[in-house]
Short mmCIF file of all heavy atoms in Angstrom, two decimals:
data_model
loop_
_atom_site.label_atom_id
_atom_site.label_comp_id
_atom_site.label_asym_id
_atom_site.label_seq_id
_atom_site.Cartn_x
_atom_site.Cartn_y
_atom_site.Cartn_z
N TRP A 1 -5.78 9.64 -29.73
CA TRP A 1 -4.67 10.04 -28.88
C TRP A 1 -4.51 11.56 -28.83
O TRP A 1 -4.02 12.11 -27.85
CB TRP A 1 -3.36 9.40 -29.37
CG TRP A 1 -2.96 9.81 -30.76
CD1 TRP A 1 -3.30 9.20 -31.92
CD2 TRP A 1 -2.16 10.94 -31.11
NE1 TRP A 1 -2.77 9.86 -33.00
CE2 TRP A 1 -2.06 10.94 -32.52
CE3 TRP A 1 -1.51 11.94 -30.39
CZ2 TRP A 1 -1.35 11.92 -33.21
CZ3 TRP A 1 -0.81 12.91 -31.07
CH2 TRP A 1 -0.72 12.89 -32.48
N ARG A 2 -4.98 12.23 -29.90
CA ARG A 2 -4.86 13.69 -29.90
C ARG A 2 -5.71 14.31 -28.79
O ARG A 2 -5.28 15.22 -28.09
CB ARG A 2 -5.28 14.25 -31.26
CG ARG A 2 -4.30 13.90 -32.39
CD ARG A 2 -4.77 14.51 -33.71
NE ARG A 2 -3.83 14.20 -34.79
CZ ARG A 2 -3.87 13.08 -35.50
NH1 ARG A 2 -4.80 12.16 -35.23
NH2 ARG A 2 -2.99 12.88 -36.46
N GLY A 3 -6.94 13.81 -28.64
CA GLY A 3 -7.82 14.32 -27.59
C GLY A 3 -7.25 14.05 -26.21
O GLY A 3 -7.28 14.92 -25.33
N ALA A 4 -6.70 12.86 -26.02
CA ALA A 4 -6.10 12.52 -24.73
C ALA A 4 -4.88 13.39 -24.45
O ALA A 4 -4.65 13.83 -23.32
CB ALA A 4 -5.71 11.04 -24.71
N THR A 5 -4.10 13.66 -25.53
CA THR A 5 -2.91 14.50 -25.38
C THR A 5 -3.29 15.92 -25.00
O THR A 5 -2.69 16.54 -24.11
CB THR A 5 -2.09 14.51 -26.68
OG1 THR A 5 -1.71 13.17 -27.01
CG2 THR A 5 -0.86 15.37 -26.53
N VAL A 6 -4.31 16.47 -25.66
CA VAL A 6 -4.77 17.84 -25.36
C VAL A 6 -5.26 17.92 -23.91
O VAL A 6 -4.96 18.87 -23.19
CB VAL A 6 -5.89 18.26 -26.34
CG1 VAL A 6 -6.54 19.56 -25.87
CG2 VAL A 6 -5.32 18.43 -27.74
N THR A 7 -6.01 16.89 -23.48
CA THR A 7 -6.50 16.87 -22.09
C THR A 7 -5.33 16.84 -21.11
O THR A 7 -5.32 17.58 -20.12
CB THR A 7 -7.39 15.64 -21.85
OG1 THR A 7 -8.48 15.67 -22.78
CG2 THR A 7 -7.93 15.62 -20.44
N GLY A 8 -4.34 16.00 -21.41
CA GLY A 8 -3.16 15.91 -20.55
C GLY A 8 -2.39 17.22 -20.50
O GLY A 8 -1.93 17.65 -19.43
N LEU A 9 -2.25 17.87 -21.66
CA LEU A 9 -1.54 19.15 -21.71
C LEU A 9 -2.29 20.23 -20.92
O LEU A 9 -1.68 21.06 -20.25
CB LEU A 9 -1.35 19.59 -23.16
CG LEU A 9 -0.29 18.83 -23.96
CD1 LEU A 9 -0.31 19.28 -25.42
CD2 LEU A 9 1.10 19.07 -23.36
N ALA A 10 -3.61 20.22 -21.04
CA ALA A 10 -4.42 21.21 -20.32
C ALA A 10 -4.23 21.07 -18.81
O ALA A 10 -4.04 22.06 -18.10
CB ALA A 10 -5.90 21.06 -20.69
N ILE A 11 -4.28 19.83 -18.33
CA ILE A 11 -4.07 19.58 -16.90
C ILE A 11 -2.65 19.98 -16.50
O ILE A 11 -2.43 20.59 -15.45
CB ILE A 11 -4.33 18.10 -16.56
CG1 ILE A 11 -5.82 17.77 -16.74
CG2 ILE A 11 -3.90 17.78 -15.13
CD1 ILE A 11 -6.15 16.30 -16.55
N SER A 12 -1.68 19.69 -17.37
CA SER A 12 -0.29 19.99 -17.07
C SER A 12 -0.04 21.49 -16.99
O SER A 12 0.72 21.97 -16.14
CB SER A 12 0.63 19.37 -18.13
OG SER A 12 0.47 17.96 -18.16
N LEU A 13 -0.66 22.26 -17.90
CA LEU A 13 -0.48 23.71 -17.90
C LEU A 13 -1.18 24.34 -16.70
O LEU A 13 -0.68 25.30 -16.11
CB LEU A 13 -1.01 24.30 -19.20
CG LEU A 13 -0.20 24.00 -20.46
CD1 LEU A 13 -0.93 24.50 -21.70
CD2 LEU A 13 1.18 24.65 -20.37
N PHE A 14 -2.34 23.80 -16.34
CA PHE A 14 -3.11 24.38 -15.24
C PHE A 14 -2.50 24.02 -13.89
O PHE A 14 -2.50 24.82 -12.96
CB PHE A 14 -4.56 23.89 -15.31
CG PHE A 14 -5.52 24.75 -14.54
CD1 PHE A 14 -5.67 26.10 -14.86
CD2 PHE A 14 -6.25 24.23 -13.50
CE1 PHE A 14 -6.56 26.89 -14.16
CE2 PHE A 14 -7.13 25.02 -12.78
CZ PHE A 14 -7.29 26.37 -13.11
N PHE A 15 -1.95 22.79 -13.78
CA PHE A 15 -1.31 22.34 -12.55
C PHE A 15 0.14 21.96 -12.88
O PHE A 15 0.42 20.81 -13.26
CB PHE A 15 -2.05 21.14 -11.96
CG PHE A 15 -3.50 21.42 -11.64
CD1 PHE A 15 -4.51 20.93 -12.44
CD2 PHE A 15 -3.84 22.19 -10.54
CE1 PHE A 15 -5.84 21.18 -12.15
CE2 PHE A 15 -5.16 22.46 -10.24
CZ PHE A 15 -6.16 21.96 -11.05
N PRO A 16 1.08 22.89 -12.76
CA PRO A 16 2.46 22.66 -13.21
C PRO A 16 3.13 21.42 -12.63
O PRO A 16 3.82 20.70 -13.35
CB PRO A 16 3.18 23.94 -12.75
CG PRO A 16 2.11 24.97 -12.64
CD PRO A 16 0.89 24.24 -12.21
N LEU A 17 2.96 21.17 -11.34
CA LEU A 17 3.64 20.01 -10.75
C LEU A 17 3.08 18.70 -11.28
O LEU A 17 3.80 17.71 -11.39
CB LEU A 17 3.53 20.06 -9.23
CG LEU A 17 4.34 21.16 -8.54
CD1 LEU A 17 4.35 20.97 -7.04
CD2 LEU A 17 5.76 21.21 -9.07
N ALA A 18 1.78 18.70 -11.62
CA ALA A 18 1.21 17.51 -12.26
C ALA A 18 1.84 17.30 -13.63
O ALA A 18 2.17 16.18 -14.01
CB ALA A 18 -0.31 17.64 -12.39
N GLY A 19 2.02 18.39 -14.38
CA GLY A 19 2.63 18.30 -15.71
C GLY A 19 4.06 17.79 -15.64
O GLY A 19 4.46 16.91 -16.42
N ILE A 20 4.83 18.34 -14.68
CA ILE A 20 6.22 17.89 -14.53
C ILE A 20 6.27 16.41 -14.17
O ILE A 20 7.09 15.65 -14.70
CB ILE A 20 6.92 18.74 -13.44
CG1 ILE A 20 7.06 20.19 -13.91
CG2 ILE A 20 8.28 18.15 -13.09
CD1 ILE A 20 7.55 21.14 -12.84
N THR A 21 5.36 15.99 -13.29
CA THR A 21 5.33 14.59 -12.88
C THR A 21 4.95 13.68 -14.04
O THR A 21 5.58 12.62 -14.25
CB THR A 21 4.32 14.39 -11.73
OG1 THR A 21 4.67 15.27 -10.65
CG2 THR A 21 4.34 12.96 -11.23
N LEU A 22 3.93 14.07 -14.81
CA LEU A 22 3.50 13.26 -15.95
C LEU A 22 4.61 13.14 -16.99
O LEU A 22 4.86 12.06 -17.53
CB LEU A 22 2.24 13.86 -16.58
CG LEU A 22 0.96 13.78 -15.76
CD1 LEU A 22 -0.16 14.55 -16.44
CD2 LEU A 22 0.55 12.33 -15.52
N LEU A 23 5.29 14.25 -17.28
CA LEU A 23 6.39 14.21 -18.25
C LEU A 23 7.53 13.33 -17.75
O LEU A 23 8.15 12.60 -18.52
CB LEU A 23 6.89 15.64 -18.51
CG LEU A 23 5.95 16.54 -19.31
CD1 LEU A 23 6.50 17.97 -19.37
CD2 LEU A 23 5.77 16.00 -20.73
N THR A 24 7.81 13.43 -16.44
CA THR A 24 8.87 12.60 -15.86
C THR A 24 8.54 11.12 -15.97
O THR A 24 9.39 10.29 -16.34
CB THR A 24 9.09 12.98 -14.38
OG1 THR A 24 9.42 14.36 -14.28
CG2 THR A 24 10.20 12.14 -13.77
N VAL A 25 7.29 10.77 -15.66
CA VAL A 25 6.87 9.38 -15.74
C VAL A 25 6.95 8.87 -17.17
O VAL A 25 7.44 7.75 -17.43
CB VAL A 25 5.43 9.22 -15.19
CG1 VAL A 25 4.89 7.82 -15.50
CG2 VAL A 25 5.42 9.46 -13.69
N MET A 26 6.47 9.69 -18.14
CA MET A 26 6.51 9.28 -19.54
C MET A 26 7.95 9.11 -20.03
O MET A 26 8.26 8.19 -20.78
CB MET A 26 5.75 10.28 -20.41
CG MET A 26 4.25 10.19 -20.24
SD MET A 26 3.31 11.17 -21.44
CE MET A 26 3.66 12.83 -20.87
N ALA A 27 8.83 10.01 -19.58
CA ALA A 27 10.24 9.90 -19.97
C ALA A 27 10.87 8.64 -19.40
O ALA A 27 11.60 7.91 -20.09
CB ALA A 27 11.00 11.14 -19.50
N LEU A 28 10.60 8.36 -18.13
CA LEU A 28 11.12 7.14 -17.51
C LEU A 28 10.58 5.90 -18.20
O LEU A 28 11.29 4.93 -18.42
CB LEU A 28 10.77 7.12 -16.02
CG LEU A 28 11.54 8.08 -15.12
CD1 LEU A 28 10.98 8.06 -13.70
CD2 LEU A 28 13.03 7.72 -15.09
N ASP A 29 9.29 5.96 -18.55
CA ASP A 29 8.66 4.82 -19.21
C ASP A 29 9.32 4.55 -20.56
O ASP A 29 9.59 3.40 -20.93
CB ASP A 29 7.17 5.10 -19.39
CG ASP A 29 6.42 3.88 -19.93
OD1 ASP A 29 6.83 2.75 -19.61
OD2 ASP A 29 5.45 4.07 -20.67
N HIS A 30 9.61 5.64 -21.30
CA HIS A 30 10.18 5.49 -22.65
C HIS A 30 11.67 5.14 -22.61
O HIS A 30 12.14 4.30 -23.38
CB HIS A 30 9.98 6.79 -23.44
CG HIS A 30 10.59 6.75 -24.80
ND1 HIS A 30 10.06 5.97 -25.83
CD2 HIS A 30 11.68 7.39 -25.31
CE1 HIS A 30 10.80 6.13 -26.92
NE2 HIS A 30 11.79 6.99 -26.63
N LEU A 31 12.41 5.78 -21.69
CA LEU A 31 13.85 5.63 -21.68
C LEU A 31 14.36 4.49 -20.82
O LEU A 31 15.44 3.95 -21.06
CB LEU A 31 14.50 6.94 -21.20
CG LEU A 31 14.23 8.18 -22.05
CD1 LEU A 31 14.82 9.41 -21.37
CD2 LEU A 31 14.83 8.01 -23.45
N LEU A 32 13.57 4.10 -19.82
CA LEU A 32 14.08 3.13 -18.87
C LEU A 32 13.19 1.91 -18.70
O LEU A 32 13.61 0.77 -18.96
CB LEU A 32 14.27 3.82 -17.49
CG LEU A 32 15.03 3.02 -16.42
CD1 LEU A 32 16.46 2.74 -16.89
CD2 LEU A 32 15.05 3.81 -15.11
N LEU A 33 11.93 2.15 -18.30
CA LEU A 33 11.07 1.02 -17.95
C LEU A 33 10.81 0.09 -19.13
O LEU A 33 10.74 -1.13 -18.97
CB LEU A 33 9.74 1.53 -17.39
CG LEU A 33 9.83 2.41 -16.14
CD1 LEU A 33 8.44 2.78 -15.65
CD2 LEU A 33 10.60 1.68 -15.03
N SER A 34 10.64 0.67 -20.33
CA SER A 34 10.32 -0.15 -21.50
C SER A 34 11.55 -0.85 -22.08
O SER A 34 11.42 -1.72 -22.93
CB SER A 34 9.68 0.72 -22.58
OG SER A 34 10.57 1.74 -22.99
N ARG A 35 12.76 -0.48 -21.59
CA ARG A 35 13.98 -1.02 -22.19
C ARG A 35 14.74 -1.96 -21.26
O ARG A 35 15.65 -2.66 -21.70
CB ARG A 35 14.90 0.13 -22.60
CG ARG A 35 14.22 1.08 -23.57
CD ARG A 35 15.17 2.11 -24.12
NE ARG A 35 14.48 3.05 -25.02
CZ ARG A 35 15.09 3.83 -25.89
NH1 ARG A 35 16.41 3.80 -25.98
NH2 ARG A 35 14.41 4.64 -26.66
N VAL A 36 14.40 -1.94 -19.98
CA VAL A 36 15.06 -2.83 -19.03
C VAL A 36 14.10 -3.97 -18.70
O VAL A 36 13.04 -3.72 -18.09
CB VAL A 36 15.46 -2.07 -17.75
CG1 VAL A 36 16.12 -3.02 -16.76
CG2 VAL A 36 16.37 -0.89 -18.09
N PRO A 37 14.40 -5.20 -19.09
CA PRO A 37 13.47 -6.32 -18.93
C PRO A 37 12.94 -6.49 -17.51
O PRO A 37 11.74 -6.72 -17.29
CB PRO A 37 14.29 -7.53 -19.36
CG PRO A 37 15.30 -6.96 -20.32
CD PRO A 37 15.63 -5.61 -19.80
N VAL A 38 13.82 -6.35 -16.52
CA VAL A 38 13.40 -6.55 -15.12
C VAL A 38 12.37 -5.49 -14.73
O VAL A 38 11.34 -5.80 -14.12
CB VAL A 38 14.62 -6.50 -14.17
CG1 VAL A 38 14.15 -6.57 -12.72
CG2 VAL A 38 15.57 -7.64 -14.48
N LEU A 39 12.64 -4.24 -15.10
CA LEU A 39 11.71 -3.16 -14.77
C LEU A 39 10.43 -3.27 -15.58
O LEU A 39 9.33 -3.00 -15.07
CB LEU A 39 12.37 -1.79 -15.02
CG LEU A 39 13.54 -1.44 -14.08
CD1 LEU A 39 14.17 -0.11 -14.51
CD2 LEU A 39 13.08 -1.36 -12.64
#
């Protein structure tokens, strides 16, 4: 997971809007999608 994380961070730093989108998706996944049964 460390290698995958570094790759994701590199893409996020190089392409800011991609990084913001990835962080938003991960936050939604952790805070909302994984906790609401229907979603």
Side-chain angles (χ1 to χ4, degrees):
W1 62 270
R2 291 181 179 85
T5 301
V6 170
T7 303
L9 286 174
I11 293 175
S12 300
L13 290 173
F14 199 60
F15 301 105
L17 291 190
I20 293 172
T21 304
L22 291 174
L23 289 174
T24 302
V25 170
M26 287 189 289
L28 287 173
D29 187 32
H30 177 70
L31 299 174
L32 190 62
L33 301 183
S34 61
R35 303 187 182 198
V36 179
V38 174
L39 293 176

